[in-house]
Amino acid sequence: QLGHKGSAAILGVRSSFDHLEDHTIDKVTFERWLARNGLHMSTHDIDILTSHFDVDGHGHMNIEAFILGMRGNLNERRLSIVEKAFAKADKTGDGRAPVEDLVECLNVEMMPEVRKGTMTPMEGAMEFVRRLEGTTKMSEGVITKGDFVDYYSWLSCSIIDDDTFVTLIETAWEVTERDVGEDRFKLCSRVMIVHSSEKVKGVTDPVKQEQYMRTTLQHFDLENDGTLTMEQFLKAAHRMSCTMDEEIGQLFFDKFKAEGGGLDYVMMARALFNVTE
């Protein structure tokens, strides 16, 4: 019942008992709190809860453990899109991001309050920071990836549908769940494979098809060192009916990078046709 009321209700548990130094309550106190808030549980269920969140074995329920248990963790799909959002601000890749970098990446124009006109974009940014401070352990203006995930774990409590949650993150942080670049990489690979296969007429042997692709790529290897520069590779791809920009070309370089730099086109051709040496 409490979980269905969302993050505000769950955090309300913390505020109700924040005055307790040891952050624990006994079964009777918890039962009274439930009744005051219109929540009904059997004595048996209360016993189970109290026992489950009794972290020190003293018969008292630990409030923090209970809150985290009610909140739960992000499922795989939600976690993936949240991590993509954080990665935009984590410029060094060390799992830490200054708050100002997060605010810079956040599309504050899409915050409900800003869209309604009750907040200016600046006020929206300040409100976002305030919420971060209220639900994370942000220190010295820096938030960790774990804290960022925790923040959205609280928000996630109020959103039952995965699609709605993902759309919210995509809109707020201007990220996409699908890896469009990877899709284009696969499409370009397929175009070049089909081109090479069709050029070797009447031959279904992938080894022969791979050799044709390799020969086509080799034609653009002006240094004859087994590698291609970006410019050379893009021209070779165009020869094989595939027009791509440098952004997609870089995906091929990342996957088939030669030790000395450049694209190892022999490795690429063999990989695309699944041919071993």
Side-chain angles (χ1 to χ4, degrees), residues 213-229 231-233 235-236 261-266:
M213 176 181 284
R214 180 154 36 101
T215 300
T216 302
L217 292 166
Q218 187 176 20
H219 176 76
F220 292 87
D221 178 10
L222 302 182
E223 293 77 20
N224 197 31
D225 62 358
T227 68
L228 297 176
T229 65
E231 182 181 2
Q232 291 167 345
F233 174 60
K235 288 180 179 179
L263 181 138
D264 186 332
Y265 57 84
V266 175

Side-chain angles (χ1 to χ4, degrees), residues 8-234:
I10 296 175
L11 287 171
V13 179
R14 175 183 289 162
S15 61
S16 296
F17 300 107
D18 205 37
H19 61 284
L20 300 175
E21 292 185 4
D22 60 357
H23 297 288
T24 64
I25 55 173
D26 58 32
K27 181 177 67 174
V28 174
T29 303
F30 182 57
E31 188 171 10
R32 289 173 179 170
W33 182 87
L34 288 172
R36 285 199 306 270
N37 288 275
L39 301 169
H40 306 285
M41 295 180 66
S42 68
T43 301
H44 175 68
D45 288 340
I46 292 175
D47 285 340
I48 292 175
L49 270 179
T50 304
S51 176
H52 183 75
F53 295 110
D54 177 12
V55 297
D56 56 12
H58 292 163
H60 287 62
M61 185 170 70
N62 183 281
I63 295 300
E64 288 301 316
F66 172 71
I67 290 172
L68 292 177
M70 290 298 97
R71 187 201 71 182
N73 296 318
L74 296 174
N75 63 30
E76 184 176 349
R77 185 182 177 193
R78 296 189 184 204
L79 177 61
S80 177
I81 193 68
V82 168
E83 288 179 335
K84 278 191 175 183
F86 184 79
K88 288 192 67 176
D90 182 11
K91 298 177 181 179
T92 60
D94 64 351
R96 293 162 54 85
V99 172
E100 55 264 30
D101 287 350
L102 282 169
V103 171
E104 184 179 330
C105 294
L106 176 65
N107 184 4
V108 293
E109 298 285 350
M110 296 307 297
M111 291 181 67
E113 299 88 348
V114 176
R115 293 178 66 183
K116 292 177 183 177
T118 57
M119 282 187 184
T120 65
M122 178 63 72
E123 290 170 337
M126 293 175 63
E127 174 62 15
F128 170 71
V129 173
R130 186 190 67 78
R131 292 172 185 172
L132 279 178
E133 292 174 336
T135 56
T136 68
K137 299 176 182 178
M138 184 171 62
S139 175
E140 298 181 353
V142 174
I143 186 169
T144 66
K145 180 179 177 180
D147 286 339
F148 189 76
V149 170
D150 276 346
Y151 172 77
Y152 276 106
S153 294
W154 287 114
L155 180 62
S156 178
C157 296
S158 305
I159 304 173
I160 297 175
D161 182 63
D162 281 351
D163 287 339
T164 301
F165 181 85
V166 168
T167 300
L168 173 71
I169 303 301
E170 287 181 325
T171 303
W173 295 96
E174 297 181 328
V175 293
T176 56
E177 182 177 24
R178 291 183 59 198
D179 192 335
V180 178
E182 186 65 21
D183 286 347
R184 291 180 63 191
F185 169 82
K186 291 178 180 178
L187 176 61
C188 288
S189 297
R190 184 60 186 163
V191 169
M192 290 188 287
I193 289 171
V194 170
H195 174 89
S196 299
S197 301
E198 290 178 346
K199 286 295 182 179
V200 188
K201 296 180 180 179
V203 177
T204 58
D205 183 0
V207 173
K208 297 293 184 181
Q209 296 168 346
E210 180 271 334
Q211 288 175 348
Y212 177 86
M213 176 181 284
R214 180 154 36 101
T215 300
T216 302
L217 292 166
Q218 187 176 20
H219 176 76
F220 292 87
D221 178 10
L222 302 182
E223 293 77 20
N224 197 31
D225 62 358
T227 68
L228 297 176
T229 65
M230 178 65 76
E231 182 181 2
Q232 291 167 345
F233 174 60
L234 296 182

